[in-house]
Short mmCIF file of all heavy atoms in Angstrom, two decimals:
data_model
loop_
_atom_site.label_atom_id
_atom_site.label_comp_id
_atom_site.label_asym_id
_atom_site.label_seq_id
_atom_site.Cartn_x
_atom_site.Cartn_y
_atom_site.Cartn_z
N VAL L 281 14.89 9.68 4.12
CA VAL L 281 15.18 8.53 4.97
C VAL L 281 15.20 7.28 4.12
O VAL L 281 14.19 6.91 3.50
CB VAL L 281 14.13 8.41 6.10
CG1 VAL L 281 14.38 7.15 6.93
CG2 VAL L 281 14.17 9.65 7.00
N TRP L 282 16.34 6.61 4.09
CA TRP L 282 16.49 5.39 3.30
C TRP L 282 16.21 4.16 4.16
O TRP L 282 16.14 4.23 5.38
CB TRP L 282 17.90 5.34 2.72
CG TRP L 282 18.11 6.28 1.58
CD1 TRP L 282 17.18 6.70 0.68
CD2 TRP L 282 19.33 6.94 1.21
NE1 TRP L 282 17.73 7.57 -0.22
CE2 TRP L 282 19.05 7.73 0.08
CE3 TRP L 282 20.63 6.94 1.73
CZ2 TRP L 282 20.02 8.51 -0.55
CZ3 TRP L 282 21.60 7.71 1.10
CH2 TRP L 282 21.30 8.49 -0.03
N PHE L 283 16.06 3.03 3.50
CA PHE L 283 15.87 1.77 4.19
C PHE L 283 17.02 1.55 5.18
O PHE L 283 18.19 1.71 4.83
CB PHE L 283 15.81 0.62 3.19
CG PHE L 283 14.54 0.58 2.38
CD1 PHE L 283 14.43 1.29 1.20
CD2 PHE L 283 13.45 -0.15 2.81
CE1 PHE L 283 13.27 1.27 0.45
CE2 PHE L 283 12.27 -0.19 2.06
CZ PHE L 283 12.19 0.52 0.88
N GLY L 284 16.67 1.19 6.39
CA GLY L 284 17.67 0.97 7.42
C GLY L 284 17.99 2.19 8.25
O GLY L 284 18.74 2.08 9.23
N GLU L 285 17.41 3.35 7.90
CA GLU L 285 17.65 4.59 8.65
C GLU L 285 16.44 4.92 9.52
O GLU L 285 15.31 4.55 9.21
CB GLU L 285 17.97 5.74 7.70
CG GLU L 285 19.25 5.55 6.93
CD GLU L 285 19.59 6.72 6.03
OE1 GLU L 285 18.66 7.33 5.47
OE2 GLU L 285 20.79 7.02 5.88
N MET L 286 16.70 5.65 10.60
CA MET L 286 15.63 6.03 11.51
C MET L 286 14.85 7.22 10.97
O MET L 286 15.45 8.22 10.58
CB MET L 286 16.23 6.41 12.88
CG MET L 286 15.18 6.85 13.90
SD MET L 286 14.00 5.55 14.33
CE MET L 286 15.07 4.40 15.20
N PRO L 287 13.52 7.13 10.91
CA PRO L 287 12.72 8.29 10.49
C PRO L 287 12.96 9.50 11.39
O PRO L 287 13.39 9.36 12.54
CB PRO L 287 11.28 7.78 10.60
CG PRO L 287 11.40 6.30 10.44
CD PRO L 287 12.69 5.94 11.13
N TYR L 288 12.65 10.66 10.87
CA TYR L 288 12.84 11.92 11.59
C TYR L 288 11.67 12.20 12.55
O TYR L 288 10.57 11.70 12.35
CB TYR L 288 12.94 13.08 10.60
CG TYR L 288 14.10 13.01 9.64
CD1 TYR L 288 14.05 13.67 8.42
CD2 TYR L 288 15.27 12.32 9.95
CE1 TYR L 288 15.11 13.64 7.53
CE2 TYR L 288 16.33 12.27 9.07
CZ TYR L 288 16.25 12.94 7.85
OH TYR L 288 17.30 12.90 6.98
N HIS L 289 11.94 13.03 13.55
CA HIS L 289 10.93 13.64 14.42
C HIS L 289 10.17 12.62 15.28
O HIS L 289 9.05 12.90 15.72
CB HIS L 289 9.91 14.44 13.60
CG HIS L 289 10.50 15.39 12.62
ND1 HIS L 289 11.23 16.50 13.00
CD2 HIS L 289 10.50 15.38 11.26
CE1 HIS L 289 11.63 17.14 11.92
NE2 HIS L 289 11.22 16.48 10.87
N MET L 290 10.78 11.46 15.55
CA MET L 290 10.02 10.42 16.23
C MET L 290 9.61 10.81 17.65
O MET L 290 8.51 10.46 18.11
CB MET L 290 10.82 9.12 16.24
CG MET L 290 11.02 8.52 14.85
SD MET L 290 9.47 8.33 13.93
CE MET L 290 8.59 7.18 14.97
N GLU L 291 10.45 11.53 18.38
CA GLU L 291 10.07 11.93 19.74
C GLU L 291 8.83 12.84 19.72
O GLU L 291 7.90 12.65 20.50
CB GLU L 291 11.24 12.64 20.43
CG GLU L 291 12.39 11.72 20.81
CD GLU L 291 13.43 12.43 21.63
OE1 GLU L 291 13.19 13.59 22.05
OE2 GLU L 291 14.50 11.84 21.88
N ARG L 292 8.84 13.79 18.79
CA ARG L 292 7.69 14.70 18.69
C ARG L 292 6.44 13.92 18.28
O ARG L 292 5.34 14.17 18.80
CB ARG L 292 7.98 15.81 17.68
CG ARG L 292 6.85 16.80 17.51
CD ARG L 292 7.20 17.89 16.53
NE ARG L 292 6.09 18.81 16.34
CZ ARG L 292 6.06 19.80 15.46
NH1 ARG L 292 7.13 20.01 14.68
NH2 ARG L 292 5.01 20.58 15.34
N ILE L 293 6.60 12.98 17.36
CA ILE L 293 5.46 12.19 16.88
C ILE L 293 4.86 11.37 18.01
O ILE L 293 3.63 11.37 18.21
CB ILE L 293 5.90 11.29 15.71
CG1 ILE L 293 6.16 12.15 14.46
CG2 ILE L 293 4.85 10.22 15.42
CD1 ILE L 293 6.84 11.40 13.32
N TYR L 294 5.69 10.68 18.77
CA TYR L 294 5.16 9.84 19.84
C TYR L 294 4.54 10.67 20.96
O TYR L 294 3.56 10.24 21.60
CB TYR L 294 6.23 8.89 20.36
CG TYR L 294 6.45 7.70 19.46
CD1 TYR L 294 7.69 7.46 18.88
CD2 TYR L 294 5.41 6.82 19.19
CE1 TYR L 294 7.89 6.37 18.04
CE2 TYR L 294 5.60 5.73 18.36
CZ TYR L 294 6.83 5.50 17.79
OH TYR L 294 7.00 4.43 16.96
N ARG L 295 5.08 11.84 21.21
CA ARG L 295 4.45 12.73 22.20
C ARG L 295 3.04 13.11 21.75
O ARG L 295 2.10 13.10 22.54
CB ARG L 295 5.29 13.99 22.41
CG ARG L 295 6.52 13.80 23.29
CD ARG L 295 7.02 15.13 23.82
NE ARG L 295 7.30 16.08 22.75
CZ ARG L 295 8.48 16.21 22.14
NH1 ARG L 295 9.49 15.42 22.49
NH2 ARG L 295 8.66 17.10 21.19
N ALA L 296 2.93 13.46 20.47
CA ALA L 296 1.61 13.86 19.94
C ALA L 296 0.64 12.68 19.96
O ALA L 296 -0.53 12.84 20.33
CB ALA L 296 1.77 14.40 18.53
N LEU L 297 1.11 11.50 19.59
CA LEU L 297 0.24 10.32 19.61
C LEU L 297 -0.23 10.01 21.03
O LEU L 297 -1.37 9.58 21.23
CB LEU L 297 0.97 9.12 19.02
CG LEU L 297 1.23 9.14 17.51
CD1 LEU L 297 2.19 8.02 17.13
CD2 LEU L 297 -0.07 9.03 16.73
N GLY L 298 0.63 10.23 21.99
CA GLY L 298 0.27 9.96 23.38
C GLY L 298 -0.78 10.91 23.92
O GLY L 298 -1.41 10.60 24.94
N ARG L 299 -0.98 12.05 23.28
CA ARG L 299 -1.99 13.02 23.71
C ARG L 299 -3.21 13.05 22.79
O ARG L 299 -4.18 13.77 23.05
CB ARG L 299 -1.38 14.42 23.78
CG ARG L 299 -0.28 14.59 24.80
CD ARG L 299 0.02 16.05 25.04
NE ARG L 299 0.54 16.69 23.83
CZ ARG L 299 1.83 16.86 23.56
NH1 ARG L 299 2.75 16.38 24.39
NH2 ARG L 299 2.22 17.47 22.46
N ALA L 300 -3.16 12.31 21.70
CA ALA L 300 -4.20 12.42 20.67
C ALA L 300 -5.55 11.92 21.17
O ALA L 300 -5.64 10.89 21.84
CB ALA L 300 -3.79 11.64 19.43
N GLU L 301 -6.58 12.65 20.83
CA GLU L 301 -7.95 12.18 21.04
C GLU L 301 -8.56 11.70 19.72
O GLU L 301 -9.55 10.96 19.74
CB GLU L 301 -8.80 13.29 21.65
CG GLU L 301 -8.36 13.66 23.05
CD GLU L 301 -9.30 14.65 23.71
OE1 GLU L 301 -10.32 15.02 23.09
OE2 GLU L 301 -9.01 15.06 24.85
N LEU L 302 -7.98 12.11 18.60
CA LEU L 302 -8.40 11.64 17.29
C LEU L 302 -7.16 11.41 16.44
O LEU L 302 -6.30 12.29 16.33
CB LEU L 302 -9.31 12.68 16.61
CG LEU L 302 -9.75 12.35 15.17
CD1 LEU L 302 -10.60 11.08 15.14
CD2 LEU L 302 -10.53 13.52 14.57
N PHE L 303 -7.05 10.22 15.87
CA PHE L 303 -5.96 9.88 14.96
C PHE L 303 -6.57 9.46 13.63
O PHE L 303 -7.45 8.60 13.57
CB PHE L 303 -5.10 8.75 15.52
CG PHE L 303 -4.07 8.24 14.55
CD1 PHE L 303 -2.93 8.99 14.27
CD2 PHE L 303 -4.24 7.03 13.89
CE1 PHE L 303 -1.99 8.54 13.36
CE2 PHE L 303 -3.30 6.56 13.00
CZ PHE L 303 -2.17 7.32 12.73
N VAL L 304 -6.08 10.09 12.55
CA VAL L 304 -6.59 9.82 11.22
C VAL L 304 -5.43 9.48 10.30
O VAL L 304 -4.45 10.23 10.22
CB VAL L 304 -7.35 11.05 10.65
CG1 VAL L 304 -8.01 10.69 9.32
CG2 VAL L 304 -8.39 11.56 11.64
N ALA L 305 -5.52 8.34 9.63
CA ALA L 305 -4.52 7.94 8.63
C ALA L 305 -5.15 8.05 7.25
O ALA L 305 -6.24 7.54 7.01
CB ALA L 305 -4.03 6.52 8.88
N ILE L 306 -4.43 8.72 6.34
CA ILE L 306 -4.97 9.01 5.01
C ILE L 306 -3.99 8.52 3.95
O ILE L 306 -2.83 8.93 3.92
CB ILE L 306 -5.20 10.52 4.84
CG1 ILE L 306 -6.15 11.05 5.91
CG2 ILE L 306 -5.74 10.83 3.43
CD1 ILE L 306 -6.25 12.57 5.94
N GLY L 307 -4.46 7.64 3.09
CA GLY L 307 -3.66 7.23 1.94
C GLY L 307 -2.40 6.47 2.28
O GLY L 307 -1.41 6.56 1.57
N THR L 308 -2.45 5.69 3.36
CA THR L 308 -1.26 4.94 3.77
C THR L 308 -1.46 3.46 3.47
O THR L 308 -2.58 2.94 3.52
CB THR L 308 -0.98 5.11 5.27
OG1 THR L 308 -2.09 4.60 6.01
CG2 THR L 308 -0.77 6.58 5.61
N SER L 309 -0.36 2.77 3.21
CA SER L 309 -0.43 1.35 2.84
C SER L 309 -0.48 0.43 4.06
O SER L 309 -0.96 -0.69 3.98
CB SER L 309 0.78 0.97 1.99
OG SER L 309 1.98 1.04 2.77
N GLY L 310 0.06 0.91 5.18
CA GLY L 310 0.17 0.07 6.36
C GLY L 310 1.32 -0.91 6.30
O GLY L 310 1.46 -1.78 7.15
N HIS L 311 2.19 -0.75 5.29
CA HIS L 311 3.34 -1.63 5.13
C HIS L 311 4.59 -1.11 5.84
O HIS L 311 5.50 -1.88 6.12
CB HIS L 311 3.70 -1.80 3.64
CG HIS L 311 2.72 -2.62 2.87
ND1 HIS L 311 2.16 -2.19 1.69
CD2 HIS L 311 2.19 -3.83 3.11
CE1 HIS L 311 1.33 -3.11 1.23
NE2 HIS L 311 1.33 -4.12 2.08
N VAL L 312 4.66 0.20 6.05
CA VAL L 312 5.90 0.85 6.45
C VAL L 312 5.91 1.10 7.96
O VAL L 312 5.01 1.76 8.48
CB VAL L 312 6.10 2.18 5.69
CG1 VAL L 312 7.44 2.80 6.07
CG2 VAL L 312 6.04 1.94 4.18
N TYR L 313 6.90 0.58 8.61
CA TYR L 313 7.07 0.80 10.04
C TYR L 313 8.16 1.85 10.26
O TYR L 313 9.07 1.95 9.45
CB TYR L 313 7.43 -0.53 10.74
CG TYR L 313 6.25 -1.46 10.80
CD1 TYR L 313 5.95 -2.28 9.73
CD2 TYR L 313 5.42 -1.50 11.92
CE1 TYR L 313 4.84 -3.13 9.76
CE2 TYR L 313 4.32 -2.34 11.97
CZ TYR L 313 4.04 -3.16 10.88
OH TYR L 313 2.94 -3.98 10.92
N PRO L 314 8.05 2.67 11.30
CA PRO L 314 7.12 2.55 12.44
C PRO L 314 5.74 3.17 12.21
O PRO L 314 4.88 3.05 13.08
CB PRO L 314 7.86 3.29 13.54
CG PRO L 314 8.64 4.34 12.83
CD PRO L 314 9.08 3.71 11.53
N ALA L 315 5.50 3.82 11.07
CA ALA L 315 4.22 4.50 10.87
C ALA L 315 3.04 3.55 10.97
O ALA L 315 1.95 3.94 11.44
CB ALA L 315 4.21 5.22 9.52
N ALA L 316 3.23 2.30 10.57
CA ALA L 316 2.13 1.34 10.62
C ALA L 316 1.68 1.06 12.06
O ALA L 316 0.56 0.59 12.28
CB ALA L 316 2.55 0.05 9.93
N ASP L 317 2.53 1.36 13.01
CA ASP L 317 2.17 1.14 14.43
C ASP L 317 1.52 2.36 15.08
O ASP L 317 1.10 2.28 16.24
CB ASP L 317 3.43 0.79 15.23
CG ASP L 317 3.79 -0.69 15.14
OD1 ASP L 317 2.88 -1.50 14.86
OD2 ASP L 317 4.97 -1.01 15.34
#
């Protein structure tokens, strides 16, 4: 995925986030969206 392109698997990711009871971020910068959200 290049700059300006939509990341893959976003529907599956948001479904999982909506059901998550524990979310863990490992080794991320927090600069890159949408992952930073």
Side-chain angles (χ1 to χ4, degrees):
V281 175
W282 286 329
F283 288 87
E285 295 182 325
M286 179 63 68
Y288 298 155
H289 310 294
M290 294 308 297
E291 289 187 8
R292 180 178 178 186
I293 289 169
Y294 282 120
R295 282 199 304 270
L297 290 169
R299 296 194 296 265
E301 294 187 2
L302 176 63
F303 173 74
V304 186
I306 302 170
T308 61
S309 67
H311 289 129
V312 183
Y313 288 84
D317 277 336

